[in-house]
Amino acid sequence: MEIEPIDLIKIFRIIKHRLWVIVLILIICLTVSFAYTFYFVAKQYQANVLLYIWQDNKVAGTASENNSNYNDMMLFTQLVKDYQVLCKSRLVTNAVAQNLGMSKGQSDVLSGQIVVDTKDNTRHLTITVTDPDPVRAADIANEVSAVFSKVVVENMGAGTVKIIDPAIVPTGPSSPSVRLNLTFGLLIGLLLGFGLVTLIEVLDTRVKTTQDIETITGFTPLGGIPEFNLQRSTNEGRR
């Protein structure tokens, strides 16, 4: 079976002929994406706290101090996962909820709002809190860092935990991303538009050109009937 080559000119004509379908679907997808972003998704705000954790160096001598610093760095790397679990534990979240006067329902979801990570592979630790209220996000982040610092020193033997940058009230939402959602809507609209136009063309089995006749029958047409305007010809004849 002979495979028909792709005719770019034909594809361009199909797109041009049904461009309104693509534009209509594109507008619909962008409208849905815009409405979803601004009216159906709650805005979320993020507040961050930067902490620095280190061990007290009690070993004298330059070589010993260097070894101790290296060991402290390796120990901190190993303890990062422990810090992540501890920061989201009930020991910390219950104390935070009690200090901020939160209800039982709010304290239950507090763990899911906290993210703990390292800062560029250093002994700096970041605590990020996400909340629909920007002021509450900053308050929770600051309280979590305060309770966490105390628990780490008392229960995990850290020498000192210092809050470098306390959380400030975020001025803008971290999600949803308007640009990302509109871009996603644009791509979906283009894909659906071109897909629908292609499907319409594939399902359209009407014979419209001499090339269609040649493709179906395998014979070359000998001639054709020109198209003319019957009404216009009649009016000219009356004149």
Side-chain angles (χ1 to χ4, degrees), residues 28-40 178 181-182 185:
I28 293 175
C29 288
L30 286 175
T31 302
V32 171
S33 178
F34 181 86
Y36 173 80
T37 302
F38 286 95
Y39 298 104
F40 294 97
V178 178
N181 287 352
L182 291 182

Side-chain angles (χ1 to χ4, degrees), residues 150-171:
K150 182 179 179 181
V151 171
V152 166
V153 172
E154 293 179 352
N155 296 356
M156 299 189 68
T160 306
V161 179
K162 184 176 181 180
I163 298 176
I164 305 299
D165 291 328
I168 60 176
V169 178
T171 57

Side-chain angles (χ1 to χ4, degrees), residues 35-92:
Y36 173 80
T37 302
F38 286 95
Y39 298 104
F40 294 97
V41 180
K43 294 181 180 180
Q44 298 292 328
Y45 297 84
Q46 286 187 345
N48 304 283
V49 177
L50 180 64
L51 304 100
Y52 185 72
I53 305 177
W54 73 92
Q55 303 288 339
D56 288 335
N57 190 0
K58 299 180 181 179
V59 182
T62 304
S64 298
E65 290 176 359
N66 291 335
N67 290 334
S68 179
N69 290 334
Y70 175 78
N71 292 333
D72 286 347
M73 191 64 190
M74 294 300 296
L75 179 61
F76 178 80
T77 302
Q78 297 173 3
L79 288 175
V80 167
K81 292 185 178 179
D82 293 338
Y83 292 152
Q84 292 172 337
V85 174
L86 178 63
C87 193
K88 303 175 68 172
S89 66
R90 287 194 298 270
L91 177 65
V92 174

Side-chain angles (χ1 to χ4, degrees), residues 92-104 106-107 110 113-114 129 131 133 135-147:
V92 174
T93 56
N94 287 343
V96 171
Q98 183 177 1
N99 295 343
L100 295 179
M102 291 183 173
S103 63
K104 183 64 169 61
Q106 290 175 316
S107 63
L110 190 57
Q113 298 178 260
I114 303 171
V129 174
D131 194 86
D133 187 340
V135 176
R136 187 169 58 190
D139 291 341
I140 294 175
N142 286 323
E143 190 62 32
V144 167
S145 62
V147 174

Side-chain angles (χ1 to χ4, degrees), residues 101-122:
M102 291 183 173
S103 63
K104 183 64 169 61
Q106 290 175 316
S107 63
D108 290 340
V109 300
L110 190 57
S111 176
Q113 298 178 260
I114 303 171
V115 175
V116 183
D117 203 356
T118 56
K119 185 72 172 179
D120 301 327
N121 295 323
T122 64

Side-chain angles (χ1 to χ4, degrees), residues 2 5 16 60 63 113 139-140 188 202:
E2 184 180 356
K16 183 179 179 181
Q113 298 178 260
D139 291 341
I140 294 175
I188 293 297
V202 170

